[in-house]
Amino acid sequence: MRPAVLGGTPAFDEPLPLIRPALPDDADLPARIGAVLDSGMITNAVEVRRFEQVTAEYLGVPNVVAVSNCTTGLMLLLRCLDVGGPVVVPSFTFIASGHAVRWNGLPVVFADSDPRTATIDPASVPDGGFSAILATHTYGSPCAVDELSARAEQAGAVLLFDAAHGFGARYPDGSMVGSKGLAEVFSLSPTKTLTTGEGGLVTTGDDELARQLRVARDYGNPGNYDSVLLGLNGRMTEIAALLGTAALPRFPGWLEQRHHLVERYVKSLAGVPGLSFQEIPAGAVSSYKDFTVRVGADFGLTRDELADCLRAERISTRAYFDPPLHRQTVYADVPAGPLPGTEELARTMITLPLSTRLAAAAVDRVCDAITRVHEHGTEIAQTLRRTE
C-alpha cells in the first residue's frame, strides 16, 4: 500500500487529532456544577479548597495552591520569592517558561538540553551569576533533580520546576513530581494529563511561600484591600476545581492507559531505522504528556518531511519545540551561546497523537503509516524535494 503523499489512500478518513482531553463523566456532575452556580460563589471558594486538599494528598506534598493557569503560577512564584537576578531556563521548552521570567523583569540565561532525555542538561548550567534555575520536565519526564540541586546550591540559587507536563510523573526515588525543589508548577490546560479546562497548581513544602502565593493570586490583597505585594488575578474558578476533583479518582487509570499506548508505539516503531525515543531516567516514571520521536538521518527523510507525509495520512503532529526560545523573535535580544543539544532536538523531534481516548487500533495505523513512509523514503524524498 502506497503512502498517501504518493497517491495512496490516507490512513484515516477523518483527521486524527494530536490530543483529546480526558474529562470526568460522573452522572452527578451536572448537578454538582448546578449547585456551585446556585451558591453564587463561583471562584476561589470551597471547591478550590477541596481540590487543593485532594491533590496535595495525591502528590504527597504539604501545600498546593490552585491558580488560574501555569503561566500565572510561575509569574507569581518568582514575584513572591523576590528573585532579583538572572534565571536559568532551558531553551528547549514551551514559551511560557521564559515569558514568566521576563514578565518579572528578570534576565533569562538559556541552558542546553540533553538530546537523549530532552530535559535540561545540568552541565550547561553556569557555575554562578544567577538567582534561580527554572527547569522543565519535558514531555512529562523528570529532570536530573540531584544534579540540578547541586548546581543551584553551589550558586546560592533557588531550584524551581516548570512541571507543566508532569502531573502523575515520579522521580527515580519514587516520589511524585511536585515534591522537589522549592516549588513546582503544574498546568491543567486541555493538553495535559489532568485538565480542569484551564488552571494550574503550585506545590511547595514552604508554608510561608504557600501563604504568600494565596495572597498573590488575589491581587496581593490579604483580605482587607490593602495590597501587600504586586499580585495578579490568578484565582481558579469553582467549576474548574470541581472538574479536577471529579477527575482525580480516574486519573491513575488514565495514566495507565497512556503508558499502554506508549508501549504499543515503541514496540511497533523500535525496528524502524532512524527513529529513537526519549530516555526516561532509570527508576523514574513519565506522565507521557506527549509521545515524541526523534527522526535521525537513517530514517531517510527529515522530521519536517515525515510531518508532511503524516499530514497527507490525516495524522496530526507537532514539532515541540521548534523554534526553541533562543531563536524566537521576542528573545532576539538575549545572548545565547552554542546550544547543540537544543538545536538537535528542535530539528528532529516530532510529537505523535496520544490521549486517554486514543484507540489502540489508531496507534497501530499511525505506526503502519510511518513504516510505509520509511519504506518508500527514497521515492518520497525525490517527490518532495523536486517540488521545493
Side-chain angles (χ1 to χ4, degrees):
M1 182 174 172
R2 290 172 66 76
V5 75
L6 295 178
T9 302
F12 292 87
D13 295 332
E14 299 292 332
L16 179 68
L18 195 65
I19 64 100
R20 284 193 178 101
L23 296 169
D25 56 0
D26 305 45
D28 65 343
L29 191 57
R32 293 167 67 186
I33 293 173
V36 168
L37 297 177
D38 290 343
S39 75
M41 300 294 292
I42 59 174
T43 190
N44 199 29
V46 62
E47 292 296 342
V48 170
R49 301 292 89 73
R50 182 178 293 116
F51 184 44
E52 289 175 334
Q53 180 180 351
V54 296
T55 51
E57 292 171 356
Y58 176 79
L59 295 171
V61 297
N63 301 288
V64 170
V65 180
V67 289
S68 55
N69 56 64
C70 180
T71 308
T72 296
L74 291 168
M75 292 166 63
L76 293 177
L77 176 61
L78 292 168
R79 178 56 55 97
C80 288
L81 291 173
D82 197 23
V83 173
V87 179
V88 175
V89 178
S91 178
F92 191 72
T93 186
F94 184 62
I95 301 164
S97 304
H99 280 16
V101 175
R102 299 205 80 180
W103 265 103
N104 275 281
L106 300 171
V108 173
V109 176
F110 287 126
D112 204 7
S113 290
D114 187 328
R116 298 167 302 167
T117 64
T119 57
I120 186 171
D121 182 355
S124 73
V125 175
D127 292 332
F130 59 91
S131 297
I133 299 173
L134 180 60
T136 308
H137 302 305
T138 315
Y139 310 135
S141 179
C143 293
V145 64
D146 293 339
E147 293 88 340
L148 290 170
S149 295
R151 288 278 178 170
E153 183 177 358
Q154 177 186 357
V158 294
L159 176 60
L160 311 171
F161 292 101
D162 178 343
H165 298 179
F167 197 90
R170 289 185 181 271
Y171 288 106
D173 65 4
S175 62
M176 301 291 291
V177 164
S179 62
K180 302 293 187 184
L182 183 56
E184 304 204 39
V185 187
F186 294 101
S187 172
L188 304 173
S189 72
T191 64
K192 303 309 186 293
T193 54
L194 181 73
T195 182
T196 57
E198 289 289 354
L201 300 171
V202 185
T203 62
T204 180
D206 187 316
D207 295 344
E208 175 59 19
L209 175 58
R211 186 196 67 78
Q212 291 181 30
L213 285 164
R214 291 192 170 95
V215 172
R217 72 181 173 189
D218 194 15
Y219 301 98
N221 169 23
N224 60 2
Y225 290 92
D226 180 10
S227 59
V228 294
L229 58 85
L230 195 61
L232 295 168
N233 179 358
R235 298 171 301 201
M236 176 178 279
T237 70
E238 287 286 275
I239 292 175
L242 178 59
L243 287 174
T245 301
L248 198 58
R250 290 161 173 73
F251 179 76
W254 292 346
L255 194 63
E256 184 179 8
Q257 174 68 1
R258 297 181 83 89
H259 279 253
H260 287 322
L261 294 174
V262 168
E263 290 170 3
R264 198 173 189 96
Y265 265 127
V266 171
K267 183 178 180 179
S268 295
L269 296 177
V272 179
L275 299 186
S276 58
F277 314 107
Q278 181 186 25
E279 291 185 15
I280 311 301
V285 176
S286 176
S287 69
Y288 287 114
K289 182 267 177 187
D290 296 305
F291 177 67
T292 303
V293 178
R294 286 172 62 194
V295 183
D298 290 346
F299 184 74
L301 297 168
T302 68
R303 185 273 313 281
D304 290 344
E305 289 170 339
L306 173 57
D308 289 342
C309 292
L310 294 181
R311 188 179 304 112
E313 303 286 351
R314 298 181 182 147
I315 298 169
S316 300
T317 64
R318 190 71 54 83
Y320 285 135
F321 300 99
D322 186 21
L325 295 191
H326 75 279
R327 286 200 277 108
Q328 294 185 20
T329 302
V330 73
Y331 294 100
D333 62 326
V334 179
L339 300 171
T342 298
E343 296 291 358
E344 179 180 342
L345 287 164
R347 185 180 67 254
T348 61
M349 295 298 260
I350 185 169
T351 297
L352 301 178
L354 179 64
S355 63
T356 302
R357 297 170 58 190
L358 183 65
V363 170
D364 294 342
R365 288 161 72 184
V366 172
C367 294
D368 288 345
I370 292 172
T371 301
R372 283 188 283 108
V373 166
H374 167 69
E375 291 171 347
H376 291 80
T378 300
E379 185 180 358
I380 291 172
Q382 291 172 347
T383 301
L384 293 179
R385 295 166 193 176
R386 190 165 52 239
T387 61
E388 291 179 352

